[in-house]
């Protein structure tokens, strides 16, 4: 199970004077079960990239292969691709529209042409996996808090049983606890449902904490592609393109410069703590020798 | 005189059914007392639905209080004739820059506000000039706003507010939709206006890092102010903040974790430099 992008190019307003090349020569392979973060400044091509993955926009040139099949083939089932690659847009709660939460989650699977029973079963499962309180299932989605609404919107995509779940800034505008809840939920779904997750984010701290692989976009191209440690090691270059490393990464570099031999690859609070304690202990041991 | 002062401010959202019977009452502000002095940089924290934005809208006379009073620059906001003057004193910058920009050229967008209140043309241009300079966007004055980055758009929105020459600007989550460099730009612009022009800033945010340099912080929950103090005092209460669905800056959290592991690190660390110094001090103390 994989998605392969082969020399994908995309331009808006192709063949006009306003042509803007949004993606340039993208080559990527996304394997089954990966947890990927996509970062990049505003306008770097992140959203355009993810819209290619479920066929919402068509590449100007190049190919995209889903499980070995060319998605631009005439007989390729685009509808099936869209149910397998679920996309949660920014501020997904704006897309809620039904009278009850349950109906809203049913909408997706119902459109797949499934029978009523299966649809309802899927809606139950989806709402349960996002940890939504059962007592509220038949209330209006519009009375919920921001974080709750977002859960319902994610459940709506989950009810499609996607194999790949793409989320475009799922935590924008949420308070810190709401942010942690949504990210913990996504991480849990990644593990328990064994789905591939692609997370677009502006928060370097969140990306460092959760994902296994980071793709950095800059001006329509892939600038870096690697583990959080590999990517954040380039923090000076990240800054040049409007990004940053997590705060602790900077701290570790400062400590290192001032002579405390800490691990420069620490990107989370947990790792930084271990490394600092370890460095101080070694320091102490050396002194006693 | 305080620029913003509230006394027992209450705001209730009342929902009615078709027959006009009251269905439910949500108390968004519950007897809020607060005082902001001219020239201060204030931050308001609180989880989603805690009443921050409702409070902000009162400062701009967009909502009417159910109970209590709010004075802006000494004017009682509930008096009909004070509404327009209050809006001139207190400007607002919202979360989404795209919702606030209306003209097709940057300088025209900035000119929109003063033009609407009948400022003479020469003075409009003067104000546009000054405002764009204040947010460092002068070189984009003839650009189309939709070609700008998020941070640049938000700075244009701030310039538009500045052109009204307010004494106070309320920023309601101005960086929620921006990338890291955009966040930095907008925050720097807010601090610049505060320091250089003496504009009072009231910043509502979910990013704890942005609060570190504020003069004073209010924490809201269920429409009440539950904590207030200098950033250092507020952020030294890591566990209490977490209980209120909030957070502390990442370095403060790391400092707290290290202290819990037994390192002698002082409470209320806010910046990287402070933490680096504290850790290095531990290292040299060991050596001694």
């Amino acid at each position: 199970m994989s998605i392969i992008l082969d020399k994908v190019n995309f331009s808006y307003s192709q063949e006009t004077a306003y042509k803007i090349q949004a993606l340039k020569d993208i080559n990527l392979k996304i394997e089954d079960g990966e947890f990927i973060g996509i970062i990049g400044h505003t306008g770097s091509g992140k959203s355009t990239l993810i819209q290619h993955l479920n066929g919402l926009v068509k590449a100007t040139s190049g190919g995209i292969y889903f499980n070995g099949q060319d998605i631009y083939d005439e007989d390729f089932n685009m509808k099936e691709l869209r149910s397998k690659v679920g996309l949660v847009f920014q501020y997904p709660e704006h897309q809620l529209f039904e009278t009850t939460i349950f109906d809203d989650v049913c909408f997706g699977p119902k459109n797949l042409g499934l029978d009523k029973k299966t649809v309802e079963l899927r809606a139950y499962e989806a709402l349960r996996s996002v940890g939504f309180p059962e007592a509220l299932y038949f209330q209006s989605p519009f009375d919920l808090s921001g974080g709750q609404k977002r859960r319902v919107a994610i459940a709506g995509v989950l009810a499609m049983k996607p194999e790949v779940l793409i989320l475009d800034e799922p935590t924008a505008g949420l308070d810190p606890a709401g942010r942690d809840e949504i990210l913990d939920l996504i991480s849990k779904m990644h593990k328990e449902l064994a789905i591939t997750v692609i997370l677009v984010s502006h928060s370097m701290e969140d990306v460092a904490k959760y994902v296994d692989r980071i793709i950095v976009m800059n001006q329509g191209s892939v600038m870096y592609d690697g583990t959080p440690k590999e990517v954040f090691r380039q923090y000076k270059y990240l800054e040049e393109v409007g990004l940053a490393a997590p705060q602790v990464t900077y701290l570790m570099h400062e400590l290192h410069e001032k002579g405390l031999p800490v691990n420069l690859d620490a990107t989370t609070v947990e790792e930084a703590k271990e490394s600092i304690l370890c460095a101080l202990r070694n320091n102490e041991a050396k002194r006693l020798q | 005189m305080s620029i913003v002062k509230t006394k027992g401010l209450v705001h209730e959202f009342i929902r009615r059914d078709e027959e006009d019977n009251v269905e439910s009452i949500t108390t968004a502000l519950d007897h809020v007392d607060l005082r902001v002095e001219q020239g201060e940089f204030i931050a308001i924290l609180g989880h989603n639905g805690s009443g921050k934005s409702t409070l902000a809208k009162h400062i701009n006379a967009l909502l009417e209080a159910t109970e209590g009073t709010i004075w802006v620059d000494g004017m009682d906001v509930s008096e009909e004739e004070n509404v327009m003057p209050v809006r001139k004193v207190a400007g607002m910058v919202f979360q989404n820059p795209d919702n606030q920009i209306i003209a097709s050229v940057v300088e025209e967008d900035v000119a929109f506000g003063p033009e609407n209140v009948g400022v003479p043309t020469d003075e409009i241009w003067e104000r546009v000039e000054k405002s764009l300079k204040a947010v460092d966007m002068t070189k984009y004055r003839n650009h189309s706003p939709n070609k700008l980055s998020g941070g640049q758009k938000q700075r244009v929105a701030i310039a538009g507010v500045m052109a009204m020459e307010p004494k106070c600007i309320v920023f309601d989550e101005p960086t929620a939709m921006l990338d890291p460099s955009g966040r930095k730009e907008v925050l720097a612009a807010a601090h610049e206006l505060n320091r250089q022009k003496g504009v009072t800033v009231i910043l509502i945010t979910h990013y704890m890092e942005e609060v570190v340099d504020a003069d004073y912080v209010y924490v809201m929950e269920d429409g009440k102010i539950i904590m207030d103090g200098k950033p250092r005092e507020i952020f030294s209460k890591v566990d209490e903040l977490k209980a209120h669905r909030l957070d502390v800056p990442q370095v403060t959290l790391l400092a707290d974790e290290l202290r819990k592991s037994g390192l002698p690190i002082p409470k209320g660390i806010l910046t990287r430099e402070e933490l680096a110094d504290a850790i290095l001090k531990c290292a040299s103390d060991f050596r001694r």
Side-chain angles (χ1 to χ4, degrees):
Chain A
M1 203 65 71
S2 67
I3 304 175
I4 295 172
L5 283 83
D6 181 28
K7 299 198 192 75
V8 170
N9 282 284
F10 179 76
S11 307
Y12 286 102
S13 318
Q14 177 82 349
E15 288 165 26
T16 72
Y18 303 101
K19 179 179 158 179
I20 295 169
Q21 189 159 15
L23 292 180
K24 285 175 210 157
D25 206 27
I26 305 281
N27 294 297
L28 284 173
K29 185 168 187 195
I30 295 163
E31 297 284 0
D32 197 18
E34 283 194 284
F35 196 159
I36 299 179
I38 301 184
I39 60 178
H41 61 86
T42 342
S44 60
K46 305 182 299 282
S47 298
T48 312
L49 175 64
I50 58 172
Q51 285 172 36
H52 276 81
L53 299 180
N54 75 346
L56 281 180
V57 282
K58 189 169 184 290
T60 319
S61 71
I64 297 177
Y65 302 89
F66 185 70
N67 297 333
Q69 279 178 292
D70 185 347
I71 69 162
Y72 297 138
D73 254 1
E74 252 172 56
D75 53 356
F76 183 81
N77 187 346
M78 212 41 127
K79 200 171 168 191
E80 195 189 309
L81 174 72
R82 294 199 179 119
S83 76
K84 284 191 175 158
V85 181
L87 189 53
V88 180
F89 287 100
Q90 256 179 58
Y91 295 89
E93 59 273 25
H94 295 169
Q95 298 165 40
L96 300 175
F97 70 102
E98 279 281 10
T99 46
T100 73
I101 288 158
F102 192 76
D103 283 348
D104 207 284
V105 178
C106 284
F107 180 76
K110 204 159 70 191
N111 271 339
L112 291 179
L114 301 168
D115 61 273
K116 195 163 178 259
K117 223 173 165 182
T118 321
V119 167
E120 290 184 352
L121 188 69
R122 280 194 177 195
Y124 268 118
E125 279 176 4
L127 280 166
R128 204 177 320 126
S129 56
V130 299
F132 199 78
E134 211 158 319
L136 301 176
Y137 280 12
F138 295 98
Q139 293 210 358
S140 162
F142 301 104
D143 294 338
L144 299 172
S145 74
Q148 294 279 45
K149 276 190 202 164
R150 209 161 285 191
R151 269 164 201 262
V152 173
I154 294 175
V157 175
L158 275 185
M160 307 283 280
K161 294 221 172 186
E163 290 166 14
V164 180
L165 182 66
I166 306 174
L167 303 110
D168 194 354
E169 288 190 56
T171 61
L174 293 185
D175 60 46
R179 183 195 67 202
D180 290 348
E181 279 166 20
I182 290 283
L183 289 171
D184 285 340
L185 167 71
I186 292 166
S187 169
K188 194 184 108 203
M189 290 186 315
H190 171 245
K191 282 191 207 100
E192 288 178 4
L193 307 176
I195 48 177
T196 309
V197 175
I198 301 176
L199 179 74
V200 176
S201 178
H202 278 325
S203 165
M204 305 302 134
E205 282 80 10
D206 292 348
V207 170
K209 192 168 161 195
Y210 289 94
V211 309
D212 307 320
R213 171 181 169 194
I214 296 179
I215 296 169
V216 183
M217 295 293 294
N218 181 36
Q219 294 182 348
S221 304
V222 174
M223 185 182 179
Y224 295 115
D225 181 356
T227 62
K229 290 190 193 346
E230 287 164 0
V231 169
F232 288 130
R233 225 174 267 158
Q234 314 293 337
Y235 71 105
K236 284 189 178 137
Y237 300 104
L238 289 176
E239 278 178 5
E240 281 170 22
V241 298
L243 298 170
Q247 279 194 4
V248 294
T249 306
Y250 292 97
L251 177 75
M252 299 312 257
H253 279 271
E254 269 172 42
L255 289 174
H256 201 267
E257 267 167 36
K258 290 186 177 149
L260 191 67
V262 289
N263 177 9
L264 290 179
D265 283 346
T267 53
T268 64
V269 170
E270 216 24 58
E271 288 168 1
K273 176 182 142 189
E274 290 307 319
S275 168
I276 290 168
L277 289 175
C278 178
L280 286 175
R281 240 178 276 128
N282 289 344
N283 213 357
E284 176 69 355
K286 245 187 246 158
R287 188 186 64 89
L288 292 173
Q289 272 165 15
Chain B
M1 185 172 54
S2 312
I3 183 84
V4 177
K5 189 175 153 198
T6 71
K7 199 167 168 230
L9 190 66
V10 175
H11 190 90
E12 289 174 343
F13 287 105
I14 301 173
R15 242 182 39 167
R16 293 173 191 277
D17 62 10
E18 283 128 18
E19 277 96 45
D20 223 30
N21 299 315
V22 175
E23 254 190 346
S24 66
I25 298 177
T26 316
T27 310
L29 292 178
D30 190 357
H31 297 92
V32 170
D33 295 313
L34 126 167
R35 252 185 121 112
V36 181
E37 300 303 326
Q38 175 67 38
E40 278 189 309
F41 193 114
I42 297 289
I44 302 179
L45 297 174
H47 62 75
N48 294 114
S50 59
K52 306 181 300 287
S53 295
T54 307
L55 178 63
K57 285 177 188 149
H58 274 280
I59 298 172
N60 199 248
L62 291 173
L63 290 174
E64 212 174 307
T66 312
E67 238 179 77
T69 317
I70 171 165
W71 294 270
V72 174
D73 202 20
M75 295 177 281
D76 183 341
V77 175
S78 64
E79 310 260 340
E80 191 65 38
E81 73 266 21
N82 285 341
V83 168
M84 286 324 276
V86 160
R87 289 193 186 140
K88 278 191 203 168
V89 171
M92 256 186 115
V93 176
F94 295 95
Q95 195 179 98
N96 189 345
D98 288 323
N99 293 347
Q100 309 167 63
I101 290 177
I102 37 113
S104 53
V105 180
V106 166
E107 59 179 16
E108 283 175 17
D109 191 82
V110 178
F112 178 80
E115 200 179 356
N116 260 346
V117 294
V119 175
T121 313
D122 295 346
E123 200 192 325
I124 293 181
W125 285 117
E126 232 170 78
R127 288 193 190 187
V128 168
E129 191 87 25
K130 268 200 289 189
S131 310
L132 283 172
K133 198 160 164 251
V135 295
D136 198 19
M137 284 295 288
T138 310
K139 75 175 176 215
Y140 294 95
R141 62 182 306 160
N142 293 317
H143 284 233
S144 158
N146 62 19
K147 296 271 160 63
L148 301 176
S149 75
Q152 289 169 336
K153 279 187 209 170
Q154 199 63 304
R155 282 190 283 156
V156 172
I158 296 172
V161 174
M162 277 304 289
M164 299 295 280
E165 303 192 333
K167 289 187 184 169
C168 167
I169 302 182
V170 183
F171 292 83
D172 194 356
E173 292 189 49
T175 60
M177 303 183 75
L178 306 181
D179 57 28
S181 64
R183 284 209 296 265
K184 239 191 246 169
E185 285 168 23
V186 168
L187 208 66
H191 276 288
E192 188 70 14
L193 296 180
N194 178 251
R195 267 191 303 263
Q196 302 289 334
K197 316 262 167 191
V199 176
T200 310
V201 172
I202 299 179
L203 173 71
I204 297 175
T205 184
H206 284 319
Y207 289 103
M208 304 299 141
E209 284 78 12
E210 297 179 352
V211 174
V212 168
D213 296 319
D215 296 321
Y216 207 75
V217 182
Y218 290 96
V219 180
M220 293 189 67
E221 187 171 84
D222 295 334
K224 296 188 192 77
I225 290 172
I226 50 158
M227 289 165 84
D228 64 308
K230 296 216 171 347
R232 207 173 290 282
E233 294 160 25
I234 297 287
F235 288 132
S236 60
K237 299 169 186 159
V238 179
D239 296 331
E240 197 179 334
L241 282 170
K242 290 216 158 176
H244 295 300
R245 296 179 60 89
L246 294 172
D247 210 348
V248 294
Q250 206 183 21
V251 281
T252 311
L253 183 65
L254 178 59
D256 196 58
E257 291 282 321
L258 288 171
R259 187 173 46 250
K260 282 177 183 161
S261 313
L263 286 189
I265 294 200
K267 277 199 165 195
I269 292 242
L270 294 180
T271 65
R272 254 167 25 217
E273 292 74 32
E274 286 171 10
L275 182 55
D277 288 347
I279 292 170
L280 292 169
K281 189 166 172 293
C282 291
S284 64
D285 283 352
F286 274 142
R287 267 185 225 123
R288 244 180 262 137

